[in-house]
Amino acid sequence: MASARELQSGYIAELRAVAPAIDGWWEELNNGPRAKFAQYRWPTGPAGHPRVLAIFRKYFLLIEQENEELRRKPLAAWPEDTEEMWGKASMGDERQIENPADLLIHDIPTLAPDVGHLALGIVFVPIGLDEEEEFV
């Protein structure tokens, strides 16, 4: 399985692949005869386009799957001789559980300013929970 940071890179690549079409659609919508209604129908701007949301959902669920695998993985045991840890700031192995919203929304304007507008426009996380509290 890919790491969360690798998944973030894949997400950016997919956003870059669809950005020209999405930006063109948005431009056409805002310059067409019903331009004054565009903001009412699409209040989140081009980020609300179904393709952008589908890409977000895909990577959100993949990152959560990676997080779940990390949660199930046992941590290394503490050393028997705790003096071994003396003077170290570490509390032992840590799991790198990542917040999908940070990776897929908040980090994007810095990492990929060219598609930052597609990420920052996602003002809600389009993910739900089923009766077993699994993401859907």
Side-chain angles (χ1 to χ4, degrees):
M1 179 88 193
S3 74
R5 295 294 170 170
E6 291 169 334
L7 291 169
Q8 182 185 53
S9 295
Y11 173 70
I12 291 169
E14 283 198 41
L15 285 182
R16 283 183 171 142
V18 300
I22 302 297
D23 290 341
W25 163 79
W26 185 247
E27 186 71 28
E28 185 178 313
L29 186 65
N30 280 290
N31 291 324
R34 302 182 59 90
K36 66 182 181 179
F37 300 109
Q39 291 296 325
Y40 296 114
R41 172 64 178 94
W42 301 95
T44 61
H49 192 283
R51 274 197 249 164
V52 174
L53 294 177
I55 293 167
F56 177 87
R57 283 183 50 79
K58 171 185 171 182
Y59 283 93
F60 181 100
L61 294 172
L62 287 170
I63 290 169
E64 271 305 311
Q65 182 180 10
E66 174 67 18
N67 284 342
E68 195 53 41
E69 287 180 22
L70 288 172
R71 286 183 192 102
R72 279 182 261 171
K73 188 176 169 184
L75 289 173
W78 281 85
E80 297 231 355
D81 180 11
T82 55
E83 285 189 31
E84 229 179 90
M85 294 295 289
W86 181 255
K88 294 183 181 176
S90 174
M91 294 298 290
D93 287 344
E94 293 181 41
R95 294 183 175 113
Q96 293 299 322
I97 305 298
E98 298 284 358
N99 180 339
D102 287 340
L103 293 176
L104 304 178
I105 298 173
H106 306 129
D107 290 355
I108 303 306
T110 302
L111 295 174
D114 56 316
V115 291
H117 64 291
L118 295 178
L120 283 180
I122 300 174
V123 295
F124 67 96
V125 177
I127 305 290
L129 294 173
D130 65 13
E131 52 278 348
E132 282 91 34
E133 297 200 15
E134 299 287 328
F135 288 115
V136 291

